[in-house]
Amino acid sequence: GENVEQHPSTLSVQEGDSAVIKCTYSDSASNYFPWYKQELGKRPQLIIDIRSNVGEKKDQRIAVTLNKTAKHFSLHITETQPEDSAVYFCAASRGSNYKLTFGKGTLLTVNP
Amino acid sequence: DGGITQSPKYLFRKEGQNVTLSCEQNLNHDAMYWYRQDPGQGLRLIYYSQIVNDFQKGDIAEGYSVSREKKESFPLTVTSAQKNPTAFYLCASSSTAGTGAETQYFGPGTRLLVL
């Protein structure tokens, strides 16, 4: 089955700096890669996702890049703010009707 | 994701007791999922269902059971066979067709504690 590795497990940055979280996956048939943000005690919320037919997707300060050959994808957050502090999870699946496999998460702390 | 509700918010289980966690959605989604979240472990899939009256085991199904008698409901029972049930339980749902069908939306979670 699919295996998703996520790094780093913790990341601390200064406000205004950029943050990058990286994930690798094992199943070459995976074609859907979402990123979720989870604040303490709350539900995970989808912040951005990418499908295998594109290499990059942006939404304001957040971007995701995908390298299908190397089987890795990354989340980039620019101009970080204290409210970006949370746990971020990557995931991978073969698409609808297939289960999502999650990475173990990255605790991002943005220091004011 | 506001269309998915879970209850209760906190649940306490005694030794040898079965407890049931509720998950309801009004998003008209076909698929529903149960995850367990432990610190540092990410989200691990317990069971999932893509259609009424059908469900499949996930990665950590032992000690759990589910039913899917209605499209909008997917209750999870934590049985006495689950020896380490303390965790945060998250329910999710998704469509199974059309644009964005892969996207899973999560409920607010139930925190289960053992007395």
Side-chain angles (χ1 to χ4, degrees):
Chain A
E2 175 68 278
N3 182 51
V4 176
E5 299 280 345
Q6 183 172 347
H7 299 281
S9 56
T10 61
L11 179 59
S12 181
V13 300
Q14 289 300 122
E15 183 176 358
D17 288 350
S18 295
V20 181
I21 302 170
K22 299 180 180 179
C23 289
T24 61
Y25 61 98
S26 61
D27 185 355
S28 57
S30 288
N31 59 14
Y32 175 64
F33 308 93
W35 286 89
Y36 286 84
K37 174 184 179 181
Q38 186 180 29
E39 297 176 358
L40 188 63
K42 301 289 182 62
R43 73 185 82 190
Q45 299 209 316
L46 180 74
I47 56 171
I48 195 166
D49 57 14
I50 191 168
R51 291 169 177 82
S52 60
N53 57 344
V54 298
E56 183 175 2
K57 184 177 179 180
K58 279 186 176 181
D59 183 3
Q60 299 183 350
R61 297 186 296 109
I62 294 173
V64 57
T65 59
L66 171 64
N67 183 328
K68 284 213 71 178
T69 303
K71 289 191 283 187
H72 68 70
F73 56 111
S74 299
L75 177 71
H76 304 254
I77 306 174
T78 59
E79 300 173 17
T80 53
Q81 301 166 4
E83 50 265 39
D84 294 329
S85 296
V87 178
Y88 291 81
F89 293 98
C90 64
S93 85
R94 292 186 175 191
S96 60
N97 298 316
Y98 289 91
K99 61 180 185 177
L100 270 176
T101 300
F102 284 84
K104 292 188 176 182
T106 296
L107 174 61
L108 173 65
T109 302
V110 180
N111 301 300
Chain B
D1 59 296
I4 303 177
T5 58
Q6 291 184 241
S7 62
K9 187 173 181 179
Y10 296 96
L11 186 57
F12 298 91
R13 195 192 88 164
K14 296 179 181 178
E15 291 288 339
Q17 186 182 40
N18 292 353
V19 293
T20 297
L21 286 61
S22 170
C23 177
E24 304 276 333
Q25 55 96 3
N26 62 5
L27 300 170
N28 200 32
H29 284 167
D30 293 304
M32 297 186 74
Y33 312 82
W34 274 106
Y35 293 91
R36 170 178 171 144
Q37 186 173 32
D38 297 278
Q41 291 296 319
L43 284 76
R44 294 183 290 170
L45 183 64
I46 305 173
Y47 269 98
Y48 63 107
S49 167
Q50 293 177 316
I51 196 169
V52 174
N53 293 322
D54 188 43
F55 48 83
Q56 288 78 41
K57 292 182 179 180
D59 301 316
I60 55 165
E62 186 174 350
Y64 301 96
S65 66
V66 293
S67 63
R68 186 83 187 278
E69 298 176 0
K70 298 186 296 182
K71 185 176 184 177
E72 58 270 22
S73 178
F74 191 39
L76 173 74
T77 297
V78 183
T79 74
S80 57
Q82 172 51 243
K83 297 307 180 187
N84 184 24
T86 297
F88 190 46
Y89 291 86
L90 287 158
C91 178
S93 71
S94 69
S95 178
T96 54
T99 303
E102 315 94 324
T103 303
Q104 292 188 20
Y105 298 91
F106 286 85
T110 292
R111 192 165 298 279
L112 176 61
L113 300 166
V114 177
L115 294 177

